[in-house]
Every structure is written in C-alpha cells, then in structure tokens.
Amino acid sequence: NAGVTQTPKFRILKIGQSMTLQCTQDMNHNYMYWYRQDPGMGLKLIYYSVGAGITDKGEVPNGYNVSRSTTEDFPLRLELAAPSQTSVYFCASRNPGQGANGYTFGSGTRLTVV
Amino acid sequence: AQTVTQSQPEMSVQEAETVTLSCTYDTSESDYYLFWYKQPPSRQMILVIRQEAYKQQNATENRFSVNFQKAAKSFSLKISDSQLGDAAMYFCAYSDFGGNEKLTFGTGTRLTIIP
C-alpha cells in the first residue's frame, strides 16, 4: 500500500498566487485531515473530513478551502497566498473505531510564500 | 478545548542512557487517546506509542514506555538505552474517543543523543 501520498513535496509561491495541495490515500479511510506545522511548533488542524461530501473547519481554517468528492482524495486550496501561510502541510487519514491505532500521515509539503 | 503542553523544548541524553520527556494535557473528557510521535529530519510523523485512557496499565513498546497519570493529566515518555537513531523531535498528542477524533499536538521536544 502507498498509504497517504502528498504532492508536491516542495513549492515556492508568490504573494497572491493560488495553488492546490494534493492528498490521496488508498486505505479506504473515511476520516482525512489537513494540518500545518510552523517552524518550531506542533501541528495545528486546518480542515478535516469524516467522509465524501462532508468537511469541517479545524483550528486554523482562514485562507484555505477543501473539498472531498471521493473517499480517496482531499485537496487543500490556497486562494491568495500570504507569507503567514509559509509552513509544512501534512495530510493524514484514519478510520473511525480503530481505537488508538493512530493515524497515517503523508510525508508533508513544504510551502514558502515570498 | 483540549490543550497539550510540552514544557521541555530541548533535551539531551548520553547514548545508552535513559531519558524522560514530559507532557501534560487538559480535557474534560473521561475517554480519550494519547500518543507520542517522532519526527526525524525527514519530516515523517512516526507513531512511537499510544495509550487508551480507560486502560490503567502503562503502554510499552520495546525501549519506549509511558507513565500515564490520568488524575494528574500527565503522559511522559521514557526512552531506555537511547540510540543515535532516537534523535528527533517528539510530539505528544491527544485525541477524543469517538466523534471526529482529531489530534491536538504539543509544541514538541527536540531530543539530542550524545555519542
């Protein structure tokens, strides 16, 4: 299994540009999450989804949008990039009721906004 | 809202020695999960150990063990026989039981292993 795949791994954006961070999982997990990790900090939840067609805001949703049209894909959209969005972005997935089996994380996308 | 606090930004330990990383959390829930994740320079988030709050027995995974004190809301990680490969950022994390099960992370502890 590939697990959770994130693309791209690195990206430099100019202020005001837009982009989509891709996330795909092949484990048929219902729950998917987007986190951001600022330098020297822990991960903070941006958006999450408990199934296709269902999304909800996390702790830091401003400046981002998501969609979940399929179980496998959960893209994160930045419409007007700002320097404050410079961060490492992680996608994760899990199935409910797995107890404390933890999450499967992607390898992250390092985004720099200049 | 739940919070997770790691009060040690950096720790160091001699190779083969034992080190303990601290974590406290705040929640009004009685059932929940706690995790320790390791993040090496590769950025990958690696699950080290997990604990279900309803279990009184402390979790162990080879050289890694936890001291879970539910009343004190404390969840420390002990690494025995430290190895060079243990050098990384370590994050404590909390998840509610049921519902959306999202993770709340602490700010991390950077562990250095001294040869």
Side-chain angles (χ1 to χ4, degrees):
Chain A
N1 284 340
V4 176
T5 302
Q6 290 184 239
T7 56
K9 294 190 182 303
F10 303 92
R11 183 71 185 270
I12 298 175
L13 277 183
K14 294 184 178 179
I15 295 172
Q17 286 185 324
S18 300
M19 76 164 294
T20 299
L21 281 66
Q22 301 292 344
C23 176
T24 300
Q25 53 94 5
D26 62 358
M27 299 167 287
N28 204 32
H29 284 172
N30 288 327
Y31 288 11
M32 295 187 74
Y33 310 83
W34 274 106
Y35 292 89
R36 61 176 285 175
Q37 182 181 24
D38 297 332
M41 302 295 289
L43 282 67
K44 293 186 177 181
L45 183 65
I46 305 171
Y47 270 95
Y48 66 97
S49 169
V50 298
I54 306 170
T55 62
D56 207 348
K57 296 178 180 178
E59 183 182 358
V60 289
N62 291 342
Y64 307 94
N65 281 298
V66 294
S67 60
R68 185 93 182 273
S69 57
T70 66
T71 299
E72 294 78 19
D73 300 310
F74 190 42
L76 178 71
R77 179 80 177 165
L78 284 71
E79 290 294 347
L80 293 171
S84 61
Q85 294 177 304
T86 293
S87 191
V88 178
Y89 291 83
F90 288 95
C91 181
S93 73
R94 72 174 296 176
N95 259 343
Q98 282 188 314
N101 285 339
Y103 296 64
T104 301
F105 282 88
S107 57
T109 295
R110 181 178 294 277
L111 175 67
T112 302
V113 182
V114 296
Chain B
Q2 291 78 14
T3 59
V4 177
T5 302
Q6 293 180 251
S7 59
Q8 305 157 314
E10 297 182 353
M11 292 282 285
S12 60
V13 62
Q14 294 277 352
E15 191 176 3
E17 295 296 311
T18 296
V19 64
T20 298
L21 307 184
S22 300
C23 173
T24 59
Y25 59 94
D26 188 28
T27 183
S28 58
E29 303 294 328
S30 58
D31 290 329
Y32 48 87
Y33 305 121
L34 296 164
F35 306 87
W36 278 98
Y37 280 91
K38 172 184 178 181
Q39 188 180 46
S42 67
R43 288 202 316 250
Q44 187 68 38
M45 295 295 287
I46 302 167
L47 178 64
V48 175
I49 199 165
R50 55 194 173 245
Q51 175 81 41
E52 293 93 332
Y54 62 86
K55 290 185 177 180
Q56 293 186 341
Q57 187 172 4
N58 289 326
T60 62
E61 289 285 344
N62 300 315
R63 297 183 295 107
F64 299 88
S65 62
V66 298
N67 184 5
F68 173 50
Q69 301 290 327
K70 190 173 184 179
K73 296 181 181 174
S74 171
F75 184 61
S76 61
L77 174 69
K78 185 172 79 172
I79 306 174
S80 303
D81 186 25
S82 298
Q83 301 176 359
L84 294 177
D86 295 334
M89 283 289 289
Y90 286 82
F91 292 99
C92 180
Y94 166 100
S95 169
D96 281 339
F97 178 84
N100 55 48
E101 299 179 342
K102 58 184 185 289
L103 284 168
T104 300
F105 286 85
T107 52
T109 297
R110 181 173 302 280
L111 179 64
T112 300
I113 310 298
I114 303 168

